[in-house]
Amino acid sequence: MGRKNKILFLWSKGVSHIGTRLFTFSLSWYILSQTGSGLSFSISLLVNYLPQIILSLFVGNLSDKTRRPNRILVLCDVASAAVCCLPLFRPGLASVYAVIFLLSAISSVFNNVIDAHLIHLDGVDSPEALKKLTSSAQFITSGVNIIAPSIGGVLIQVCTVQAFAAINIISFLLSSFGEVWLRYRPRQESGTTQKSGTAQEKGKSVLAYMFGQKKLRIFFLVDSLGNFCVSSGINVALPLIVTTTLGISSSGYGLISSSIAVGSVLCAVWRMRFPGGSRFRYPFLKLGLIGGCMLALASAAYVRPAWPVAVLCLVMFASGWLSVDINIQVKTAMQLYIDPGCLGKVLGISTSISHILIPASLVIAGGTLEVWPSYVLPALSGSVLIAALSVLCWFDRKAA
């Protein structure tokens, strides 16, 4: 029964993600082809981020109170399918923005419920099983991220946005069918000796619980710092370095971008085979190595090596591997050690905290690139990340 349950979970996640990635690809293409405006595309990114930042503060309460998470998951998928009907009846830029916003809002609820209750899924009976299932889910996500843009690039030549919307509607309905049959174990309300105290016993708010514990504070601070630096040092800087500074062709850029996803997939496969430990400690070294990847990116932009594509492929492969490894380790550690009575709230608030600096990072990065050469941005981001991690790691060791 446990094996069947895990297969149903992965099936639902995979089918849903395939449709979503194809649909979001078509929406991005539609915005750029209809407007030709980078500002319009930036607005779509902002519209996508806002619900995750705002709603994640509140959806955790719903996750913690529910006793039948599969019902909420099914409802989310059906609601997402209904939202995807909007471009079928009212095509246009306004409906595209509305769809992006609403899908992001529903996704905030869906992801929080998944993460808060995954540890209670029937068949997940040990930390190793939890880490293997998380790695398997990450493998599916990363694999789809490689395949979907290629398929979407072919289909976009013959299909309209409405056709992609129909594909996504079908994928959401198929996903909901699988989620109907998921089975979860009753949740333990009391903390265990593993947990570092319970918020209910202390009569504190969730925020007081989160920030009252040094180890949790470190998790949230480091995650926010990492997102801030990676958004500017890689996500913003890489396209400009590849196209403008190094003058690499579109095919070379495609290889470099794919290297990130390939590293992500192989890391997920590795963790499925070798789950590793589940200590409640942030992986400082791995995030510091991502800072090293930024410095390597800056060096490539400054030195301009003879084989720039090969160099950047290696750097991005390492970045993709490390990012997934950090994500798996942090997510499973929090699921195992946070008080189950407020896990959903903690995950929701931590999501908001970790994402809230990304818009600021994008604005600062854009302004920096107007004044300084492109290699300055990853050099600055990587240096700041490594220096800050050294300080936070020292505080973490003192708290241990």
Side-chain angles (χ1 to χ4, degrees), residues 138-139 142 259-269 317 320-321 323-324:
Q138 185 66 62
F139 169 76
S142 300
S259 298
I260 302 174
V262 171
S264 301
V265 167
L266 292 182
C267 177
V269 172
F317 175 89
W321 179 293
S323 296
V324 166

Side-chain angles (χ1 to χ4, degrees), residues 17-347:
H17 193 57
I18 288 172
T20 300
R21 283 293 288 131
L22 286 172
F23 190 43
T24 53
F25 176 85
S26 69
L27 293 180
S28 299
W29 182 269
Y30 177 83
I31 291 171
L32 291 173
S33 62
Q34 292 295 311
T35 67
S37 168
L39 177 61
S40 298
F41 185 68
S42 298
I43 291 173
S44 72
L45 295 178
L46 184 61
V47 166
N48 182 60
Y49 271 122
L50 283 177
Q52 298 177 42
I53 294 171
I54 298 170
L55 290 181
S56 293
L57 292 168
F58 309 104
V59 297
N61 190 49
L62 174 66
S63 296
D64 290 333
K65 287 182 176 180
T66 184
R67 294 297 176 266
R68 294 182 178 269
N70 54 331
R71 291 185 179 180
I72 297 180
L73 298 180
V74 170
L75 184 60
C76 285
D77 272 343
V78 172
S80 296
V83 168
C84 292
C85 293
L86 187 58
L88 300 179
F89 301 106
R90 295 186 65 85
L93 198 59
S95 68
V96 167
Y97 285 141
V99 167
I100 292 172
F101 180 87
L102 292 172
L103 286 181
S104 178
I106 297 170
S107 177
S108 297
V109 179
F110 184 91
N111 290 334
N112 189 277
V113 173
I114 281 282
D115 291 340
H117 290 272
L118 186 59
I119 193 171
H120 307 296
L121 188 71
D122 192 22
V124 180
D125 50 8
S126 67
E128 182 177 292
L130 176 64
K131 203 162 189 179
K132 283 186 175 180
L133 185 60
T134 303
S135 301
S136 299
Q138 185 66 62
F139 169 76
I140 290 173
T141 300
S142 300
V144 170
N145 288 342
I146 295 175
I147 298 170
S150 301
I151 297 175
V154 174
L155 292 180
I156 201 71
Q157 305 297 323
V158 294
C159 296
T160 62
V161 170
Q162 289 80 1
F164 280 96
I167 293 172
N168 205 20
I169 290 169
I170 294 171
S171 74
F172 278 127
L173 294 178
L174 288 174
S175 175
S176 66
F177 179 77
E179 287 156 357
V180 167
W181 306 102
L182 290 178
R183 294 292 177 264
Y184 290 84
R185 300 186 305 276
R187 187 174 61 189
Q188 298 291 328
E189 294 298 334
S190 59
T192 67
T193 55
Q194 275 186 309
K195 309 291 188 293
S196 50
T198 61
Q200 288 82 359
E201 290 174 347
K202 297 179 181 179
K204 296 181 179 180
S205 69
V206 176
L207 280 173
Y209 169 71
M210 291 170 61
F211 289 98
Q213 301 183 58
K214 293 180 179 180
K215 282 193 173 292
L216 276 179
R217 284 204 304 267
I218 292 292
F219 266 67
F220 306 138
L221 288 172
V222 177
D223 219 32
S224 301
L225 174 68
N227 280 333
F228 180 85
C229 293
V230 169
S231 294
S232 59
I234 293 181
N235 297 344
V236 175
L238 179 63
L240 189 67
I241 287 173
V242 169
T243 57
T244 305
T245 305
L246 298 178
I248 295 172
S249 66
S250 58
S251 59
Y253 182 40
L255 284 174
I256 295 166
S257 300
S258 297
S259 298
I260 302 174
V262 171
S264 301
V265 167
L266 292 182
C267 177
V269 172
W270 176 263
R271 285 305 173 199
M272 288 163 59
R273 181 70 178 84
F274 304 103
S278 300
R279 290 190 307 157
F280 192 49
R281 188 171 186 272
Y282 200 92
F284 290 97
L285 177 59
K286 293 171 185 175
L287 187 56
L289 290 174
I290 291 182
C293 290
M294 294 185 218
L295 296 180
L297 177 61
S299 298
Y302 182 77
V303 176
R304 305 190 182 192
W307 302 96
V309 173
V311 171
L312 293 184
C313 280
L314 286 173
V315 172
M316 291 302 104
F317 175 89
S319 178
W321 179 293
L322 291 165
S323 296
V324 166
D325 211 11
I326 291 170
N327 183 52
I328 292 172
Q329 184 171 336
V330 169
K331 186 176 291 187
T332 53
M334 294 184 72
Q335 288 167 333
L336 287 168
Y337 290 95
I338 298 297
D339 172 20
C342 62
L343 178 59
K345 300 183 191 72
V346 171
L347 289 173

